[in-house]
Amino acid sequence: GQSLEQPSEVTAVEGAIVQINCTYQTSGFYGLSWYQQHDGGAPTFLSYNGLDGLEETGRFSSFLSRSDSYGYLLLQELQMKDSASYFCAVKWAGANNLFFGTGTRLTVIP
Amino acid sequence: GAVVSQHPSRVICKSGTSVKIECRSLDFQATTMFWYRQFPKKSLMLMATSNEGSKATYEQGVEKDKFLINHASLTLSTLTVTSAHPEDSSFYICSAREDSKIKETQYFGPGTRLLVL
């Protein structure tokens, strides 16, 4: 069925770079989005890949490869405030809503 | 950017009572709004799609008689959890899609944490 798989947890050191992958089985979506969610808060939009390739927004970059059926979010110069959950999301063809991945809990340590 | 508000932010109620949650798009019109539910350390799961002026579309497994949705205007959708039980305790998040935007972007409300005792 349709699913977006992410690693459940990632730990990285402050100042480092971390990559969070999102893999899928079924294609047929319009684009891949990434959202950040702090504990108790709402998801906030980070990045969107409508086409294959790399999109850069400040410290955050996102990549999509439809031929390889995966995308990733790259966070550079990690800060403590980046500790949060990160979700990839797609809108499947024919659907109105966003479908969220399993989520990755990022913990940044000193 | 576009702002979506939810009210209340937190609610505690007794089992058997009904709870209404409001979702408002503050500076844009939204024909379509979405209601998600999120359990601790889990992903967001779509419950239903709220359509202004028509009936909501519910996802499989979501009881429409238990989770009543009303989308009476282009800026307001309400979710009523009827006869709430402890298993309904969760984080409920709404989102709205701005009608005027071409790019597919959903704006999320801050969420409502429901605790049913």
Side-chain angles (χ1 to χ4, degrees):
Chain A
Q2 299 169 334
S3 67
L4 299 172
E5 299 295 324
Q6 299 177 237
S8 59
E9 294 180 340
V10 173
T11 300
V13 178
E14 189 176 15
I17 300 172
V18 71
Q19 177 175 316
I20 299 174
N21 292 332
C22 174
T23 59
Y24 55 89
Q25 299 291 327
T26 305
S27 61
F29 56 83
Y30 296 113
L32 186 70
S33 301
W34 288 92
Y35 286 80
Q36 177 192 62
Q37 185 183 30
H38 285 98
D39 286 344
T44 56
F45 174 78
L46 290 178
S47 186
Y48 174 79
N49 291 79
L51 302 173
D52 283 9
L54 189 68
E55 290 286 338
E56 297 181 83
T57 310
R59 294 189 297 115
F60 297 167
S61 302
S62 60
F63 175 83
L64 174 63
S65 172
R66 292 178 191 266
S67 59
D68 295 320
S69 298
Y70 92 110
Y72 66 72
L73 178 69
L74 192 72
L75 296 85
Q76 304 181 68
E77 301 174 19
L78 281 174
Q79 301 175 9
M80 300 299 290
K81 67 178 182 180
D82 296 329
S83 292
S85 292
Y86 292 84
F87 295 91
C88 58
V90 299
K91 184 175 296 185
W92 301 111
N96 280 323
N97 63 286
L98 279 172
F99 179 89
F100 286 84
T102 52
T104 299
R105 175 77 187 180
L106 171 65
T107 301
V108 180
I109 58 176
Chain B
V3 177
V4 175
S5 70
Q6 270 185 251
H7 177 80
S9 58
R10 184 184 296 265
V11 59
I12 301 173
C13 69
K14 293 182 179 180
S15 185
T17 61
S18 294
V19 175
K20 180 187 281 189
I21 303 171
E22 292 186 349
C23 177
R24 292 182 186 272
S25 57
L26 296 186
D27 50 2
F28 64 97
Q29 292 185 334
T31 302
T32 304
M33 293 185 177
F34 305 96
W35 287 96
Y36 292 84
R37 180 168 53 185
Q38 185 179 32
F39 292 105
K41 298 186 178 181
K42 298 294 184 182
S43 187
L44 286 80
M45 300 301 295
L46 180 70
M47 298 176 65
T49 301
S50 174
N51 304 296
E52 188 270 337
S54 64
K55 291 183 179 180
T57 305
Y58 290 81
E59 294 301 300
Q60 192 173 10
V62 178
E63 300 175 58
K64 56 184 175 183
D65 293 332
K66 180 169 182 64
F67 299 99
L68 300 179
I69 291 173
N70 184 281
H71 195 150
S73 76
L74 289 173
T75 59
L76 172 64
S77 175
T78 61
L79 169 68
T80 301
V81 183
T82 61
S83 186
H85 288 93
E87 58 265 30
D88 298 324
S89 298
S90 188
F91 192 47
Y92 292 86
I93 306 173
C94 73
S95 74
R97 193 175 66 201
E98 187 171 357
D99 288 346
S100 62
K101 284 286 180 65
I102 297 174
K103 188 175 180 179
E104 297 292 349
T105 303
Q106 287 181 217
Y107 302 100
F108 287 84
T112 297
R113 191 162 299 282
L114 171 64
L115 176 61
V116 184
L117 302 177

